Amino acid sequence: MAEHVEAGKMKVFALNSNRPLAEKIAKAAGVTLGKSTIKHFSDGEIQISIDESIRGDELFLIQSVSDPVNTNLMELLIMVDAARRASAEKINVVVPYYGYSRADRKARSREPITAKLIASMMQMDGVDRVITLDLHAAQLQGFFDIPVDHLQSDRLLTSYFDQNPRLADEDIVVVAPDHAGVSRARRLAELLGAPIAIIDNRSETENAAHPDAVIGNVTGKHAILVDDSIDTAIRITVSAEALKRAGAADVFACATHAVLSGDATQRIDDSVLEKVVITDSIQLPEDKQSDKFEILSVGELFGKAIDLIYHEQPVDSLFHGSLKRQKQ
């Protein structure tokens, strides 16, 4: 009779995209970050070494595919390869921000579906599971033939508005910045017990956002715009202007991923937005910080998910109840 083999240890490793978040995740999971070395040569090549034994262990590799997107993606893929060759038992990747997720279909002829390409690359590299947060479209989970745990930040974002004494329940309206965002707005509205409104924005891209009208009553209300990410901030700021013209008392915004390309932070600073509630799924450099940002940490959310997955427990408990709000 074969002897019982003890399950491998849980080990959590951070790459370069967002080490502060990785430290929070590891702390919430009850472990310390594993030891590894990541070097970049002058020509851009990446060299990674894992500086401790991981033979037979279950790994959780933390990396957002954020700016610099291609560099961070390659770091992740190289780390997975290193882990597989070092005989890790399971390789789970924790991707707080899944880059290229907007390229999820062929909108025009001869276009790639890059989100599917990234999924295929991860699988071919030897990834056993993906843990991610607020994908651009939930259907992206179907691009994988391995388990995907799709976490949501709705309850964390809701906690800010629940705790803000300025926002009386009956005076809140949750607003989708376009028709595609209605389901996301409805989820937040259900948590807040508020009605929804829609910006009638028929532009195909964020860079050409010109709202025509507001569908729903926002007069005298505290309007909360909700989106999965803020990139150039054009859509969110012109939507805020449309809401003010429609009679909103003030306008807040919330989004999971603060991509903030180019002059996005300056646009937000110059806008009518009161506050923009975001998470730390993407690490913000100093030049992208703003007094209008309220940054909530998803470290506890991911840490709990990792602990549940490692102990083979369902993660549906993370979608019910409330999470303690953490400032970055």
Side-chain angles (χ1 to χ4, degrees):
M1 183 176 174
E3 294 183 5
H4 173 72
V5 178
E6 184 181 355
K9 295 179 181 178
M10 176 208 301
K11 292 189 176 178
V12 179
F13 288 86
L15 291 129
N16 283 337
S17 70
N18 196 339
R19 191 166 183 95
L21 174 59
E23 290 171 351
K24 293 176 185 177
I25 292 172
K27 182 178 180 181
V31 297
T32 57
L33 287 174
K35 299 175 183 178
S36 61
T37 302
I38 306 164
K39 295 180 180 178
H40 287 221
F41 293 107
S42 57
D43 64 351
E45 286 188 10
I46 300 165
Q47 182 185 58
I48 291 178
S49 63
I50 299 172
D51 301 330
E52 61 183 83
S53 174
I54 57 170
R55 183 177 295 275
D57 294 332
E58 181 165 359
L59 269 55
F60 293 84
L61 311 179
I62 303 171
Q63 180 82 323
S64 281
V65 184
S66 55
D67 185 30
V69 174
N70 299 328
T71 298
N72 286 335
L73 175 61
M74 283 304 300
E75 279 190 3
L76 178 59
L77 295 175
I78 294 169
M79 183 68 166
V80 170
D81 186 73
R84 180 168 48 81
R85 295 177 187 277
S87 301
E89 179 66 24
K90 290 183 181 178
I91 303 173
N92 309 286
V93 296
V94 180
V95 187
Y97 175 66
Y98 187 98
Y100 287 108
S101 64
R102 288 170 287 190
D104 59 358
R105 66 194 187 283
K106 283 189 68 174
R108 289 171 291 273
S109 300
R110 298 175 295 281
E111 273 193 337
I113 305 178
T114 320
K116 167 60 177 171
L117 172 64
I118 302 305
S120 299
M121 291 168 69
M122 287 186 184
Q123 290 181 187
M124 288 187 291
D125 203 23
V127 171
D128 293 299
R129 178 186 293 268
V130 175
I131 307 158
T132 189
L133 176 70
D134 284 341
L135 291 167
H136 184 64
Q139 296 90 324
L140 265 66
Q141 297 171 78
F143 289 170
F144 291 90
D145 295 320
I146 56 176
V148 176
D149 290 289
H150 184 208
L151 306 182
Q152 296 174 1
S153 65
D154 297 6
R155 293 179 181 276
L156 184 63
L157 295 172
T158 300
S159 69
Y160 171 79
F161 300 105
D162 277 340
Q163 297 171 31
N164 190 325
R166 285 183 55 190
L167 306 178
D169 291 347
E170 63 273 15
D171 292 333
I172 293 176
V173 59
V174 179
V175 185
D178 54 29
H179 294 272
V182 172
S183 61
R184 186 175 295 107
R186 185 177 290 116
R187 288 199 305 270
L188 195 73
E190 288 174 355
L191 291 170
L192 290 169
I196 70 168
I198 306 167
I199 304 291
D200 190 19
N201 183 356
R202 306 189 184 190
S203 300
E204 293 185 1
T205 66
E206 181 179 4
N207 293 340
H210 297 289
D212 299 309
V214 177
I215 302 170
N217 179 25
V218 299
T219 304
K221 302 277 189 179
H222 301 295
I224 303 172
L225 283 159
V226 58
D227 212 342
D228 65 316
S229 63
I230 301 175
D231 188 353
T232 64
I234 293 174
R235 179 169 57 208
I236 211 82
T237 53
V238 298
S239 294
E241 292 169 7
L243 289 168
K244 289 293 285 186
R245 290 195 301 269
D250 47 33
V251 185
F252 296 79
C254 64
T256 306
H257 309 297
V259 180
L260 301 178
S261 302
D263 298 327
T265 299
Q266 190 62 51
R267 288 192 186 96
I268 289 170
D269 283 338
D270 295 340
S271 74
V272 298
L273 288 163
E274 295 281 329
K275 279 285 184 182
V276 178
V277 185
I278 53 178
T279 79
D280 58 351
S281 65
I282 297 173
Q283 185 178 7
L284 289 188
E286 192 68 32
D287 61 342
K288 291 187 178 181
Q289 299 284 349
S290 169
D291 291 338
K292 288 192 175 185
F293 292 152
E294 185 78 18
I295 304 176
L296 310 182
S297 180
V298 292
E300 184 178 351
L301 177 62
F302 276 105
K304 287 182 176 180
I306 287 173
D307 184 65
L308 290 168
I309 291 165
Y310 175 70
H311 291 102
E312 298 184 348
Q313 298 295 315
V315 299
D316 58 354
S317 61
L318 301 178
F319 300 94
H320 307 287
S322 61
L323 285 164
K324 183 180 178 182
R325 180 164 68 118
Q326 297 181 343
K327 278 193 178 182
Q328 192 179 36

